[in-house]
Amino acid sequence: MPRTSAYSCSECGTQSAKWHGQCPGCEAWNTLVEEAIAPGGSKRRARAGRAGSGPGLRAVGSGPRERPRPLKEVGAAPVRRMSSGIGELDRVLGGGLVPGSLVLLGGSPGIGKSTLTNMALGHMQHAGLRTLYVSGEESAEQVRLRAERLAPGALQVPILAETDLDTVLETLAAEAPHACVIDSVQTLHAGELSGGPGSVGQVREVAGRIMELAKTQGIAVILVGHVTKEGALAGPRVLEHLVDCVLQFEGERERPYRELRSLKNRFGSTHEAGLFEMRQGGLVEVLDASARFVAEATRAPGSVVLAAMEGSRPLLVEVQALVAPSELEQPRRVVSGFDRNRLALVLAILGRHGRLGTGGADVFVNVVGGVRVDEPGCDLAVALAVASASRGVPLTGTPRGCFGELGLTGELRWVGHPERRLAEAAKHGLSDVIAPVDSGADAREVATLREALEAALPAGARAGRQARAAA
Ligand SMILES: Nc1ncnc2c1ncn2[C@@H]1O[C@H](COP(=O)(O)OP(=O)(O)OP(=O)(O)O)[C@@H](O)[C@H]1O
Ligand SMILES: [Mg+2]
């Protein structure tokens, strides 16, 4: 029987008919990856697996040579987009799904990937588009049970419960849907390769061949992907290069809020994020998140409201801190929804420029609601929350709103979109928001961390003593 696969080293490209633990060429370990051989003998991936290859690309020597031409002479039709029927998803995608594009959706187990994609296909089917849901993880019955609790359109979505790649591709070619979901890319299996589903070679082959079909037929494909224990997308990195858009679905399973973020987008911004809430009837878009978070703000010592930007949208979130004497030689720094290294930096600036040392104390910081804030504007909120918790007094004017980036010399630095942040704060009843210089007339503008502490801490709590907890 002719061979259907071979191995090549991902480091030096050495070819081998058999698998070796150590590459015979460069002697690196565990670098040989299985690849399919097309009937003609050429490796299939050479044709399919190149990032960004589209129907307009031709194989070497397959016709008369085309001369390079200036970009302005290249005709480019405007990108048409299909609405998924879910506003937050459309916004994160940059305005909807693009025909012929591949979207990779990753997220922890049980976070709601299947629910979100089921709902999107349901809406599209309801809107008259052809859809297909390919499930390699769950049986058709299981998917139906989920669809029953979602919007009515979800039950109209055609389903194929299949793990064989060739069958899936044949069905896709025959049905020619406008949009298709593959749940998940790690469960499909290419018969030519001996590696198990989810192995590096399999995932690369599966994604490459689906992309080839999607680009030629103009099918918008959402590939659902697993994540590793560390939260990164599982599978080869090349998968992320291959697809047009990488979305990450995040949140804490115990909490209802879910955030959809874009990590890569060839058709839109990567700064957008969408907020959802998991309810009995599926995922519901949270459009009034600021109102909810402000209403829930505790106003206790250690609480502050951050006027953050989630992409192009302002969002008010509560940041909470707890500072407690530590019994450990190395005090704990526990953080949720904020970068841990950034917390270390803010604590160092607080100690040096705010005369508020936390060296002997455990510090816990939490962005309430399971939301993650990934922007420099949250430094000041973390600093004020820690200062308030450390002194054991609520900030003045609670709920106290603020935003701004801290510099290493203790200055408060300007951050983007101050007017939108201030308008959102005003809309939800927050006045006297502490902000960097040049933020706007409505803000309480301050130039340094020390000035911010003076503005936010009650007079009696400002004394330059070290944090009580640390003493
Ligand atoms: N009948 C139900 N009622 C309420 N909530 C439900 C119901 N069924 C599922 N859920 C919620 O949906 C979540 C699972 O969603 P979903 O199956 O979409 O996750 P997933 O990300 O696809 O998971 P996996 O990685 O395991 O495929 C559950 O954790 C639960 O919170
Ligand atoms: Mg699932």
Side-chain angles (χ1 to χ4, degrees), residues 192-265:
E192 304 91 321
L193 305 189
S194 58
S199 62
V200 171
Q202 283 283 1
V203 170
R204 201 163 65 174
E205 176 73 8
V206 166
R209 287 179 59 194
I210 290 176
M211 185 187 79
E212 201 174 16
L213 187 73
K215 300 257 180 227
T216 45
Q217 300 219 348
I219 305 169
V221 178
I222 301 180
L223 298 173
V224 174
H226 294 170
V227 292
T228 61
K229 215 162 58 185
E230 291 75 36
L233 275 158
R237 208 68 218 259
V238 69
L239 186 58
E240 289 173 55
H241 288 293
L242 194 79
V243 299
D244 299 299
C245 181
V246 179
L247 303 184
Q248 183 87 355
F249 209 26
E250 299 174 346
E252 294 169 35
R253 242 186 303 171
E254 310 73 44
R255 312 252 186 114
Y257 295 115
R258 304 276 184 269
E259 241 184 317
L260 185 68
R261 289 176 172 276
S262 152
L263 307 183
K264 160 184 171 176
N265 194 349

Side-chain angles (χ1 to χ4, degrees), residues 110 112-115 133 137-138 146 183 224:
K113 303 179 292 295
S114 304
T115 307
Y133 189 89
E137 294 198 340
E138 297 167 296
R146 180 187 303 102
D183 190 0
V224 174

Side-chain angles (χ1 to χ4, degrees), residues 82 97 100-103 117 120-121 124 130-135 157-158 160 168-169 171-173 175-183 188 210 213-214 218-224:
M82 296 179 282
L97 279 166
S101 70
L102 245 71
V103 176
T117 48
L121 288 195
M124 296 174 90
R130 284 189 309 278
T131 63
L132 178 67
Y133 189 89
V134 178
S135 174
V157 175
L160 175 73
V168 169
L169 290 175
T171 313
L172 264 177
E175 301 288 321
H178 291 100
C180 166
V181 169
I182 310 279
D183 190 0
L188 292 201
I210 290 176
L213 187 73
I219 305 169
V221 178
I222 301 180
L223 298 173
V224 174

Side-chain angles (χ1 to χ4, degrees), residues 55 76 95 103-104 113 125 143 151 217 244 345 359-360 362 371 388 425 468:
V103 176
L104 178 62
K113 303 179 292 295
Q125 186 77 26
V143 179
Q217 300 219 348
D244 299 299
L345 189 80
D362 289 333
V371 178
S388 160
R468 215 185 300 155

Side-chain angles (χ1 to χ4, degrees), residues 350-358 390-391 450 453-454 457-468 470-471:
L350 253 182
R352 180 71 185 80
H353 300 286
R355 287 181 288 160
L356 223 146
T358 48
S390 170
R391 293 281 194 256
R450 194 166 301 178
L453 289 171
E454 274 169 20
L457 284 174
R462 278 183 224 151
R465 280 178 292 127
Q466 290 286 297
R468 215 185 300 155

